[in-house]
Amino acid sequence: MFKSVAAAVALTAFSAGQAEASTTALRWSADPRDGIGAFKSIQCDSKTFATATDPDKGTVWQVTQPAKQERCEAVGPDVSATDSYYLGWSSKFSIGDAESRYFFQVKSSPSSGTANHPVVIGVINGELQLHSWTAEHKDVLLWRAKAVKNVWNDYALRITSGRTDGTVQFWFNGVRQRLLTGSDTYTGTTYDGTRTYLKWGIYHPAPGVATSSITTIKMGATLADVTTP
């Protein structure tokens, strides 16, 4: 998924001045070659969260959100209020209109009276963007880049849970990113409500069709766990 050199550089940048924990077995993964059993559920009225063969990546998750359908997402693992974890995957998208879509969500329940989705990645206002939503449901833009459809990009996150003191660190295409808040670590809401869990796919109703291709999704204890092919 990541080139080994880029992953090594990113890992070194993260762990400067501190010891990185040794690589252990993955905490969770969703490999498209193994089918949808890794997910708790598929939220997709059209049954279009499937698999396909990509010329660059091999077997991938192939997600299609038909026009006017609210979502086509897979529900991954729950996280706890004291959790700390890394996530990694690669994806590409194609959107048939000018509306925004979320491709990844840290999701909280209930939706009302909480941050709802404390951390999201998507195409928003024509850009790839990373956002956090506070416990008061206020939007914080953390990162942005040019959005180019049908191009593979690599994503990795380190998230620690907290209603007001959670943290987010972000790697894009193997490089740790400096966030728009001025730091490479954001402190804010990453957990809320009575349950917080992870989702991948496409969310937000819109008039056009949208697709997303996703490689194996990994959750682990270190950056290397989730970025090593």
Short mmCIF file of all heavy atoms in Angstrom, two decimals, residues 26 33 39 78 89 99 115 117 137 144 153 156 163 176-177 184 216 220:
data_model
loop_
_atom_site.label_atom_id
_atom_site.label_comp_id
_atom_site.label_asym_id
_atom_site.label_seq_id
_atom_site.Cartn_x
_atom_site.Cartn_y
_atom_site.Cartn_z
N LEU A 26 -1.99 -7.31 13.56
CA LEU A 26 -3.05 -6.34 13.33
C LEU A 26 -4.17 -6.53 14.35
O LEU A 26 -4.54 -7.65 14.71
CB LEU A 26 -3.62 -6.51 11.92
CG LEU A 26 -2.77 -5.98 10.77
CD1 LEU A 26 -3.42 -6.36 9.44
CD2 LEU A 26 -2.58 -4.48 10.86
N ARG A 33 -10.37 -9.67 -0.39
CA ARG A 33 -10.27 -11.06 -0.85
C ARG A 33 -11.00 -12.03 0.08
O ARG A 33 -11.33 -13.14 -0.31
CB ARG A 33 -8.80 -11.47 -0.98
CG ARG A 33 -8.02 -10.68 -2.04
CD ARG A 33 -6.54 -10.99 -1.96
NE ARG A 33 -5.98 -10.56 -0.68
CZ ARG A 33 -4.71 -10.69 -0.35
NH1 ARG A 33 -3.85 -11.24 -1.21
NH2 ARG A 33 -4.27 -10.27 0.83
N PHE A 39 -16.67 -6.77 8.41
CA PHE A 39 -17.50 -5.63 8.77
C PHE A 39 -18.68 -6.07 9.63
O PHE A 39 -19.23 -7.16 9.44
CB PHE A 39 -18.01 -4.92 7.53
CG PHE A 39 -16.93 -4.32 6.67
CD1 PHE A 39 -16.66 -4.84 5.41
CD2 PHE A 39 -16.17 -3.25 7.12
CE1 PHE A 39 -15.67 -4.29 4.62
CE2 PHE A 39 -15.18 -2.69 6.34
CZ PHE A 39 -14.93 -3.21 5.07
N ASP A 78 -15.88 -0.99 16.72
CA ASP A 78 -16.09 0.04 17.73
C ASP A 78 -14.74 0.41 18.35
O ASP A 78 -13.80 -0.40 18.35
CB ASP A 78 -17.00 -0.47 18.83
CG ASP A 78 -18.46 -0.55 18.40
OD1 ASP A 78 -18.72 -0.72 17.19
OD2 ASP A 78 -19.33 -0.45 19.28
N TRP A 89 -5.07 2.73 4.80
CA TRP A 89 -5.70 2.18 3.59
C TRP A 89 -5.33 3.07 2.40
O TRP A 89 -4.78 4.15 2.55
CB TRP A 89 -7.22 2.10 3.74
CG TRP A 89 -7.93 3.42 3.72
CD1 TRP A 89 -8.49 4.05 2.64
CD2 TRP A 89 -8.15 4.30 4.84
NE1 TRP A 89 -9.05 5.25 3.03
CE2 TRP A 89 -8.86 5.42 4.36
CE3 TRP A 89 -7.83 4.23 6.20
CZ2 TRP A 89 -9.23 6.48 5.20
CZ3 TRP A 89 -8.20 5.28 7.03
CH2 TRP A 89 -8.89 6.38 6.53
N GLU A 99 -21.29 17.89 -5.59
CA GLU A 99 -21.61 17.79 -4.17
C GLU A 99 -20.51 17.08 -3.40
O GLU A 99 -19.73 16.31 -3.95
CB GLU A 99 -22.94 17.04 -3.98
CG GLU A 99 -24.14 17.72 -4.62
CD GLU A 99 -24.43 19.07 -3.98
OE1 GLU A 99 -24.37 19.16 -2.74
OE2 GLU A 99 -24.72 20.02 -4.72
N ALA A 115 -20.94 15.01 18.81
CA ALA A 115 -20.16 15.45 17.64
C ALA A 115 -20.67 14.80 16.36
O ALA A 115 -20.39 15.28 15.27
CB ALA A 115 -18.69 15.09 17.85
N HIS A 117 -20.02 12.89 13.93
CA HIS A 117 -18.90 12.26 13.23
C HIS A 117 -17.64 13.05 13.58
O HIS A 117 -17.27 13.99 12.87
CB HIS A 117 -19.14 12.22 11.72
CG HIS A 117 -19.94 13.36 11.17
ND1 HIS A 117 -19.60 14.69 11.38
CD2 HIS A 117 -21.06 13.38 10.43
CE1 HIS A 117 -20.47 15.47 10.78
NE2 HIS A 117 -21.38 14.70 10.19
N HIS A 137 -20.60 20.04 18.09
CA HIS A 137 -20.89 19.86 16.66
C HIS A 137 -20.47 21.09 15.84
O HIS A 137 -21.18 21.55 14.96
CB HIS A 137 -22.38 19.55 16.42
CG HIS A 137 -22.62 18.92 15.07
ND1 HIS A 137 -22.04 17.73 14.68
CD2 HIS A 137 -23.35 19.32 14.01
CE1 HIS A 137 -22.42 17.43 13.45
NE2 HIS A 137 -23.21 18.38 13.02
N ARG A 144 -6.25 20.03 3.89
CA ARG A 144 -6.88 20.05 2.56
C ARG A 144 -5.81 19.81 1.50
O ARG A 144 -4.62 20.11 1.70
CB ARG A 144 -7.58 21.38 2.30
CG ARG A 144 -6.66 22.56 2.47
CD ARG A 144 -7.16 23.88 1.87
NE ARG A 144 -8.53 24.18 2.01
CZ ARG A 144 -9.02 25.29 2.58
NH1 ARG A 144 -8.18 26.16 3.14
NH2 ARG A 144 -10.30 25.53 2.60
N ASN A 153 -4.62 7.29 -3.61
CA ASN A 153 -3.91 7.98 -2.54
C ASN A 153 -3.86 7.08 -1.31
O ASN A 153 -4.76 6.26 -1.09
CB ASN A 153 -4.61 9.29 -2.17
CG ASN A 153 -4.48 10.34 -3.25
OD1 ASN A 153 -3.37 10.73 -3.61
ND2 ASN A 153 -5.60 10.79 -3.78
N ALA A 156 -3.21 7.36 6.32
CA ALA A 156 -2.96 6.76 7.62
C ALA A 156 -3.30 7.78 8.70
O ALA A 156 -3.06 8.98 8.53
CB ALA A 156 -1.52 6.29 7.77
N ARG A 163 -13.28 13.01 24.47
CA ARG A 163 -14.39 13.88 24.11
C ARG A 163 -13.92 15.31 23.84
O ARG A 163 -14.45 16.00 22.97
CB ARG A 163 -15.46 13.88 25.20
CG ARG A 163 -16.76 14.55 24.75
CD ARG A 163 -17.90 14.27 25.69
NE ARG A 163 -19.15 14.73 25.11
CZ ARG A 163 -19.65 15.96 25.29
NH1 ARG A 163 -18.98 16.84 26.04
NH2 ARG A 163 -20.78 16.32 24.72
N ARG A 176 3.88 12.49 6.83
CA ARG A 176 3.10 13.08 7.92
C ARG A 176 2.78 14.53 7.60
O ARG A 176 3.64 15.30 7.16
CB ARG A 176 3.89 12.99 9.24
CG ARG A 176 3.07 13.46 10.43
CD ARG A 176 3.76 13.11 11.72
NE ARG A 176 3.05 13.68 12.86
CZ ARG A 176 3.40 13.50 14.12
NH1 ARG A 176 4.46 12.77 14.40
NH2 ARG A 176 2.71 14.05 15.10
N GLN A 177 1.52 14.92 7.82
CA GLN A 177 1.04 16.22 7.40
C GLN A 177 1.01 17.23 8.55
O GLN A 177 0.66 16.91 9.68
CB GLN A 177 -0.38 16.09 6.83
CG GLN A 177 -0.47 15.17 5.63
CD GLN A 177 0.32 15.69 4.44
OE1 GLN A 177 0.00 16.75 3.89
NE2 GLN A 177 1.35 14.94 4.04
N ASP A 184 1.27 19.30 13.84
CA ASP A 184 1.02 18.01 13.20
C ASP A 184 0.19 17.09 14.09
O ASP A 184 -0.05 15.93 13.74
CB ASP A 184 2.33 17.33 12.79
CG ASP A 184 3.30 17.15 13.94
OD1 ASP A 184 2.89 17.35 15.10
OD2 ASP A 184 4.47 16.83 13.67
N THR A 216 -7.29 -3.10 1.16
CA THR A 216 -7.42 -3.65 2.51
C THR A 216 -7.28 -2.53 3.54
O THR A 216 -6.37 -1.72 3.47
CB THR A 216 -6.34 -4.71 2.76
OG1 THR A 216 -6.54 -5.79 1.84
CG2 THR A 216 -6.43 -5.25 4.18
N GLY A 220 -4.15 -1.03 13.66
CA GLY A 220 -3.06 -1.63 14.41
C GLY A 220 -2.55 -0.75 15.52
O GLY A 220 -3.06 0.34 15.78
#
